[in-house]
Amino acid sequence: MLAASRYGTRTLLCPRHHPVLSLKTSALRPPRRIITRVQNAASVGTASEASTPSNGDGAIWTDSPEPVRLPGKDPSPGQLPIPDSPLLPPAGILAKAVEMGTAKAKLPAMKCFIMAVMGGIFIAFGGALAVSVGPNCPEMAASNPGLLKILTGLNGLPFGLLLVLVCGAELFTGNVALLSTAVFNGKATVKQLVRNWSISYVGNMIGTGLIIAMMCGGAVFPYQPPGLLKMAMPKVSLTFKQAFLRGILANWFVCLATWMAIGANSLISKIAGIYLTISAFVAIGLEHSVANMFIIPLAMAVGADISPSTYLLKNLLPVTLGNIVGGAIGVAGFYSYVYGTLGQKAQAA
């Protein structure tokens, strides 16, 4: 069984709870731990590493009072992590996702809201880069549209998600998978899930709106820029079914990128997982609700002929519903069934 602390050392236990393998799971320190180390340095004069006490049954932990044990059955020998591996195995990623989802479910409302506003701001930063580069290459669009799709995918939204996952923020689409994972494995309630999703969604919308207001006030984009209009108008020309299905696929990609970032133990490996996956969904032409909270209202603010009802009913609503299905079922549901308690419950029923 895999005993997991929030960040730091993870120890693989045999069925009798003897530690047989331990590995460092993260080369990156989360924002809260960075602050703690700075505070400790101020009080004792040095920022030394904390010791790793045992809880008495052989499980090692560093940051949380109790280790989080992998939900479901023990990993098979083929899934055992390799010492100093840059990646967690799939079962280990699920354990860490359950832990993160549980923590998010308990996050105070005001903290969740502030971090959600930051999440919207970060995605808006990425969206601003995307609309500044890709749509403004008309010669490439005519001569090599495939290359332009790759360029558009690589520039923008991967940068925004990297900021969310490394700097720390609440993103509705990622929380769809993480909160669902915690619920499926019995670590959070549906009420906590709805609360987090609601706060994250509103906060993300406010965050993107703040950046739109600042960019319009600073005249970052001219009136009716052709590149931005070319990106925004097709998004509100989809049928409800088309937008819904594209929303499912988009958040399937986004949550897989989040999943890989959770399992990655270095900044370079997180960048690789995020950029490859997010650039793929952008190049394919899928729909992400939080990114659209920036792109479409920005186009409306600079003169696009899009009404608020068209934006909400033809894009944001179906895309949001699709994002929920893609993250909750395509990622959280499948992995919780294979590696977590969801599959055990189904087999026992």
Side-chain angles (χ1 to χ4, degrees):
M1 180 175 285
L2 188 66
S5 66
R6 175 167 293 185
Y7 304 99
T9 302
R10 291 177 186 257
T11 300
L12 184 69
L13 304 180
C14 69
R16 297 190 177 206
H17 303 293
H18 294 296
V20 295
L21 182 63
S22 64
L23 65 154
K24 215 60 170 169
T25 63
S26 180
L28 295 174
R29 300 191 183 277
R32 185 170 62 182
R33 188 166 180 185
I34 293 173
I35 295 172
T36 302
R37 286 174 58 82
V38 171
Q39 291 173 340
N40 289 342
S43 61
V44 301
T46 179
S48 60
E49 286 287 347
S51 61
T52 56
S54 170
N55 68 352
D57 67 353
I60 305 299
W61 51 268
T62 57
D63 291 293
S64 60
E66 296 181 1
V68 177
R69 299 198 177 277
L70 181 68
K73 56 187 178 181
D74 294 346
S76 66
Q79 298 165 348
L80 298 183
I82 301 172
D84 299 323
S85 170
L87 294 174
L88 290 175
I93 296 176
L94 177 69
K96 195 170 179 182
V98 170
E99 184 182 0
M100 292 176 65
T102 304
K104 287 176 178 291
K106 299 176 181 178
L107 195 64
M110 183 53 66
K111 287 186 178 181
C112 182
F113 174 73
I114 292 172
M115 296 303 288
V117 172
M118 293 300 299
I121 288 171
F122 292 159
I123 295 300
F125 286 164
L129 178 59
V131 301
S132 298
V133 178
N136 296 309
C137 302
E139 295 84 3
M140 185 181 293
S143 62
N144 198 335
L147 181 60
L148 179 61
K149 289 183 178 182
I150 294 175
L151 177 65
T152 305
L154 288 172
N155 283 278
L157 294 183
F159 165 62
L161 185 61
L162 183 67
L163 289 176
V164 169
L165 295 178
V166 175
C167 298
E170 293 291 308
L171 182 64
F172 166 74
T173 47
N175 286 358
V176 165
L178 293 176
L179 269 293
S180 297
T181 302
V183 171
F184 289 153
N185 290 278
K187 298 296 183 179
T189 66
V190 174
K191 181 179 178 180
Q192 289 175 316
L193 177 146
V194 173
R195 171 181 170 272
N196 178 276
W197 287 4
S198 301
I199 296 174
S200 297
Y201 196 82
V202 173
N204 289 167
M205 186 174 289
I206 291 174
T208 56
L210 287 173
I211 300 304
I212 291 171
M214 294 178 69
M215 289 191 170
C216 289
V220 175
F221 295 97
Y223 182 72
Q224 292 186 336
L228 176 57
L229 299 184
K230 187 177 180 180
M231 179 178 284
M233 294 304 294
K235 292 179 176 293
V236 295
S237 301
L238 301 171
T239 66
F240 192 99
K241 178 183 176 181
Q242 290 170 339
F244 174 71
L245 293 176
R246 292 190 188 196
I248 293 176
L249 293 169
N251 209 32
W252 209 329
F253 276 80
V254 171
C255 291
L256 285 174
T258 303
W259 216 250
M260 287 193 287
I262 290 172
N265 302 321
S266 69
L267 180 59
I268 296 300
S269 55
K270 288 180 185 292
I271 290 173
I274 291 170
Y275 265 76
L276 291 172
T277 312
I278 300 303
S279 64
F281 109 72
V282 176
I284 292 170
L286 306 178
E287 297 293 321
H288 184 265
S289 58
V290 181
N292 289 351
M293 289 177 189
F294 174 77
I295 295 171
I296 299 176
L298 176 63
M300 294 166 62
V302 294
D305 186 17
I306 303 172
S307 68
S309 61
T310 299
Y311 160 54
L312 294 174
L313 297 178
K314 298 208 67 176
N315 185 275
L316 192 60
L317 176 60
V319 169
T320 299
L321 295 176
N323 288 170
I324 291 173
V325 174
I329 298 177
V331 176
F334 288 168
Y335 282 107
S336 294
Y337 185 88
V338 174
Y339 296 111
T341 59
L342 184 64
Q344 291 181 337
K345 293 175 182 177
Q347 293 172 5

